[in-house]
Amino acid sequence: MSLYYMQKFLYELNRSSQLQEAYTADRHAVLEPYSLTAEEVEALTAPDIGKLYVLGVNGQILMHFAAFHQIEWQDYLQRMRDGIDDHGPVREGVYAITGYEGTRTHSESLGQEGGVH
Amino acid sequence: MPLVYAGVCSHAPGIRGRKDLADPEVRDALYAAFDGMRADLEASGAEAVIVIAAEHFANFFMNNMPSFAIGMADFYDGPIEDPGWLGIERFRAPGDRDLSERVITEVMNTVDVAYAEEWLFDHGIAVPLSFLTPRFDLPVVPVNINCQGPPLTPVHRAWAFGEALRRAVDAVPEKVAIIGTGGISHWPATPDSGKINWEWDQDFMAKWCANDRDALLDYDDLQVYADAGQGGFEIRTFLAISAAAGGAQGTVHFMAPIPIFAVSCTIATYDLSTSDRAD
């Protein structure tokens, strides 16, 4: 896995309108300079938000990639939840430390009202 | 001049970008609290404001991640996010390169910092400024502490950094305010977005108000992660303000969990007349 280069691409994409235009024109070509696996390329070109989350992409980068693709906030959150259901727990990065608990489970453990937001 | 204002506030992008999805009553109360913070900031006579934020991979990435960075430019553009997504139009905020250089030079005597002659503001600074200097007419000195990409800045170094900033501010002739921005417990931009540990937040802010150095430096990252999520790493910005306030006692002006904003939205200040550095 090359989480670093996936995130670096997204970091640069989020900052650069030129790279955004190039990505829109040819999603595969813009990824060539980055050291990525076939699975990562597929997730970045689809785009597969849930898979990217499972691969470990930080949400502070991923949420802007989702917004770039016109994915609304609640849909963005749901795609990550679906990604965990489809692909299993986060494999790498800061979110792999404790895994996904879920808002409802966490709120219940604290005796709070809660749920999905 | 001695530091004229010290406070903290939330910076969650949803505060602007998802304002229409929040309970209007609590949202309006938060906005009113921001208005109060702006009035207090203006009343302080501050001629510049240092904003310590937890940057989110807008300017700094893991190819060259500083523990601390301070902006040194005469202007800063933002927001880096899509204006429609963030709910803040493009702006240019004034900086003060000369003031930044003097602050950085003093801080460097005790804490190693990176400086940046360009800086695109993300929500960590843009959201607070949209309330506190809505006309973008007060010079800003942006500051970042690495709260995002492990290995993170140790909390005791964030404290030392806050103390160094206080020494630097007290040494310049300008009246300077200092504001820390960030979350307490939160799991932003993840499937757990909206999860809030309200009891943890209340306990943390009690320690913050008491300016209890030992208690504030006792936070361990793994435990913070378990209790308060990766967003909890941003307590570093609040700790730096505590250190800068030099023992002053604090007051929480607003605090409420707002799940659609993904955090317990908080506005708090220190009474600098109770600082051990007060004149």
Side-chain angles (χ1 to χ4, degrees):
Chain A
M1 292 191 8
S2 37
L3 175 59
Y4 172 80
Y5 288 106
M6 269 197 303
Q7 295 193 110
K8 186 175 184 187
F9 168 72
L10 292 172
Y11 162 75
E12 293 178 342
L13 184 77
N14 290 339
R15 289 174 55 86
S16 168
S17 57
Q18 288 179 317
L19 191 57
Q20 290 168 11
E21 290 172 10
Y23 173 86
T24 301
D26 189 336
R27 297 182 181 187
H28 285 84
V30 295
L31 294 173
E32 286 177 6
Y34 301 86
S35 299
L36 300 168
T37 67
E39 182 182 39
E40 292 161 348
V41 170
E42 183 180 348
L44 287 167
T45 53
D48 187 338
I49 299 297
K51 173 63 81 64
L52 291 169
Y53 179 73
V54 167
L55 291 174
V57 174
N58 192 294
Q60 296 291 349
I61 299 173
L62 187 57
M63 68 178 176
H64 299 304
F65 186 56
F68 171 66
H69 283 287
Q70 310 297 316
I71 297 169
E72 296 296 328
W73 183 251
Q74 301 292 1
D75 187 18
Y76 161 67
L77 299 180
Q78 189 57 47
R79 288 183 189 217
M80 289 187 288
R81 295 175 185 129
D82 293 344
I84 293 165
D85 289 342
D86 294 342
H87 307 296
V90 176
R91 301 175 192 172
E92 193 178 353
V94 69
Y95 306 132
I97 298 173
T98 59
Y100 169 57
E101 182 182 19
T103 51
R104 195 175 305 279
T105 303
H106 182 81
S107 295
E108 287 172 358
S109 74
L110 295 170
Q112 300 171 339
E113 293 183 4
V116 173
H117 297 281
Chain B
M1 296 283 288
L3 180 67
V4 298
Y5 182 91
V8 293
C9 66
S10 302
H11 69 213
I15 292 174
R16 286 296 196 191
R18 297 191 291 277
K19 62 181 171 57
D20 294 335
L21 300 177
D23 176 349
E25 188 174 345
V26 69
R27 178 201 62 204
D28 291 347
L30 170 64
Y31 280 26
F34 266 119
D35 287 342
M37 192 176 197
R38 180 178 68 242
D40 290 344
L41 178 63
E42 291 174 351
S44 76
E47 299 166 282
V49 57
I50 295 173
V51 182
I52 305 178
E55 217 239 14
H56 315 82
F57 306 116
N59 298 274
F60 308 107
F61 188 64
M62 279 78 80
N63 58 351
N64 193 3
M65 179 65 79
S67 279
F68 305 106
I70 301 178
M72 192 171 72
D74 281 325
F75 65 86
Y76 304 95
D77 290 331
I80 191 170
E81 296 95 340
D82 178 79
W85 180 87
L86 188 60
I88 297 175
E89 293 301 315
R90 301 262 186 240
F91 61 84
R92 173 163 287 186
D96 185 334
R97 191 189 186 287
D98 182 70
L99 173 63
S100 284
E101 183 169 351
R102 283 178 279 129
V103 168
I104 292 164
T105 301
E106 170 55 35
V107 169
M108 279 180 164
N109 284 317
T110 50
V111 177
D112 297 329
V113 297
Y115 63 84
E117 295 202 49
E118 56 180 305
W119 191 311
L120 296 171
F121 287 175
D122 77 358
H123 63 269
I125 293 178
V127 169
L129 287 187
S130 74
F131 289 100
L132 302 178
T133 65
R135 296 178 298 279
F136 299 104
D137 52 2
L138 185 66
V140 180
V141 177
V143 174
N144 182 56
I145 300 176
N146 177 22
C147 305
Q148 301 291 342
L152 304 174
T153 305
V155 291
H156 70 91
R157 295 303 295 158
W159 190 275
F161 181 56
E163 291 179 325
L165 282 171
R166 176 63 181 270
R167 284 192 291 273
V169 166
D170 288 352
V172 300
E174 293 93 338
K175 292 181 178 177
V176 178
I178 189 165
I179 294 173
T181 84
I184 328 176
S185 74
H186 63 311
W187 287 253
T190 75
D192 283 322
S193 179
K195 196 161 99 174
I196 292 168
N197 190 338
W198 175 236
E199 291 182 7
W200 193 92
D201 290 346
Q202 291 174 298
D203 180 67
F204 175 82
M205 286 310 297
K207 293 169 181 170
W208 188 89
C209 287
N211 209 332
D212 186 339
R213 178 183 184 279
D214 290 342
L216 291 171
L217 295 187
D218 197 39
Y219 282 98
D220 168 79
D221 276 342
L222 277 180
Q223 193 60 49
V224 167
Y225 189 95
D227 295 336
Q230 83 282 355
F233 296 151
E234 293 181 349
I235 60 172
R236 287 161 171 77
T237 66
F238 283 37
L239 266 57
I241 299 299
S242 300
Q249 299 297 288
T251 300
V252 173
H253 302 282
F254 180 91
M255 188 174 174
I258 308 180
I260 193 62
F261 296 164
V263 72
S264 291
C265 292
T266 305
I267 290 176
T269 57
Y270 281 119
D271 176 1
L272 292 175
S273 70
T274 61
S275 169
D276 55 26
R277 291 171 178 266
D279 288 340

